Amino acid sequence: MTAGPEDPFASDELAERKMRFLFALRSRGVTDTRVLTAMEKVDRGLFVRGIFADRAYEDMPLPIACGQTISQPSVVGLMTQALQVSPRDTVLEVGTGSGYQAAILAHLARRVYTVDRYRRLVREAGELFRQLDITNITAIAADGSFGLPDQGPFDRILVTAAAEDPPGPLLEQLKPGGIMVLPVGQSDAVQSLIKVTRNARGFDYEELRPVRFVPLVEGLGSE
Ligand code: SAH
């Protein structure tokens, strides 16, 4: 008997891998049912290409094109959970990367805008969204530290690259009552994941946990 996609043994194995993946998320603090359901629907294996593809269901960051990384699934889950996305929200993601995080947000929000400084990453993520029939994501090549003034303001903003401080234009493009989650700190050191909530008077800041992300870099990339 050959192990093809129709082979029940192969699909048993897949189901077990998926169960282990979800168990790892829960044991690392991702408990929000809506977030877990969205993460169950989005196959991380499609967003990791080449030699690392078979490690897609492990809880670790992995290399993607343009020298960037797809974040660790538990960190994706914890950030998504902290963002408290509701089905009517318009969300901005800065740092499309593989498109994995955006695809998860698309299951939770009404509309997702995602930007990356590399055109290649935006193009490849866009192809995956089409292939997966996800129609509520707009992927744009741009320097995300300026946000998207024409599409904003946003209910939620998620930044997946580390800045030294929350960029001013992103704070400005957050609606009153809105939430932004982002890593802040020096690029080569341990950074802090911060949750910013805009209230009537200004902004509340809450420090969530130490994280490590690639840096937020100015301008468009070469690829
Ligand atoms: N969210 C991604 C992982 C992002 S890695 C995923 O789910 O796979 C961080 C990404 O931020 C990289 O792709 C990098 O190119 C991008 N980035 C860095 N600085 C940026 C900037 N100023 N504007 C837009 N994207 C930026």
Side-chain angles (χ1 to χ4, degrees), residues 190-211:
V190 170
Q191 307 133 4
S192 282
L193 190 64
I194 304 283
K195 176 178 174 180
V196 184
T197 308
R198 183 167 203 165
N199 57 42
R201 297 170 311 284
F203 299 93
D204 287 329
Y205 295 85
E206 187 188 341
E207 204 171 321
L208 301 178
R209 69 195 306 269
V211 283

Side-chain angles (χ1 to χ4, degrees), residues 1 9 38 45 75 77 93 95 98 125 151 153 165 218:
M1 202 164 78
F9 180 71
V75 173
E93 182 200 22
S98 67
Q151 279 80 14
D165 294 298
E218 266 178 38

Side-chain angles (χ1 to χ4, degrees), residues 47 64-66 68-71 76 93-102 114-118 121 140 142-146 158-162 213-219:
F47 294 84
I64 56 170
C66 305
Q68 304 303 312
T69 51
I70 178 172
S71 312
V76 170
E93 182 200 22
V94 176
T96 310
S98 67
Y100 178 61
Q101 172 76 73
T114 181
V115 299
D116 204 286
R117 58 189 294 276
Y118 285 105
L121 294 176
I140 299 171
D143 182 345
S145 41
F146 297 102
L158 183 60
V159 186
T160 61
F213 277 84
V214 298
L216 193 72
V217 178
E218 266 178 38

Side-chain angles (χ1 to χ4, degrees), residues 40-215:
E40 190 178 355
K41 283 186 195 148
V42 181
D43 182 358
R44 189 169 183 252
L46 296 172
F47 294 84
V48 181
R49 294 162 199 233
I51 53 169
F52 293 102
D54 63 337
R55 313 194 76 169
Y57 305 101
E58 293 175 32
D59 192 27
M60 51 162 68
L62 293 169
I64 56 170
C66 305
Q68 304 303 312
T69 51
I70 178 172
S71 312
Q72 190 175 341
S74 58
V75 173
V76 170
L78 290 169
M79 288 175 88
T80 309
Q81 189 166 281
L83 204 60
Q84 296 174 263
V85 181
S86 84
R88 297 175 62 182
D89 286 346
T90 298
V91 182
L92 169 66
E93 182 200 22
V94 176
T96 310
S98 67
Y100 178 61
Q101 172 76 73
I104 292 164
L105 291 171
H107 280 92
L108 298 167
R110 186 173 61 82
R111 166 116 239 123
V112 176
Y113 292 92
T114 181
V115 299
D116 204 286
R117 58 189 294 276
Y118 285 105
R119 291 180 196 82
R120 174 177 170 190
L121 294 176
V122 167
R123 189 179 62 242
E124 290 181 355
E127 282 162 13
L128 278 173
F129 302 148
R130 269 189 296 281
Q131 194 182 312
L132 293 170
D133 256 332
I134 303 176
T135 54
N136 60 338
I137 305 179
T138 306
I140 299 171
D143 182 345
S145 41
F146 297 102
L148 289 175
D150 293 343
Q151 279 80 14
F154 302 97
D155 300 290
R156 300 288 184 264
I157 300 178
L158 183 60
V159 186
T160 61
E164 286 191 25
D165 294 298
L170 296 184
L171 291 170
E172 280 164 28
Q173 289 168 38
L174 199 55
K175 279 188 196 169
I179 298 174
M180 168 157 70
V181 172
L182 78 166
V184 293
Q186 303 290 331
S187 63
D188 50 353
V190 170
Q191 307 133 4
S192 282
L193 190 64
I194 304 283
K195 176 178 174 180
V196 184
T197 308
R198 183 167 203 165
N199 57 42
R201 297 170 311 284
F203 299 93
D204 287 329
Y205 295 85
E206 187 188 341
E207 204 171 321
L208 301 178
R209 69 195 306 269
V211 283
R212 194 159 195 168
F213 277 84
V214 298

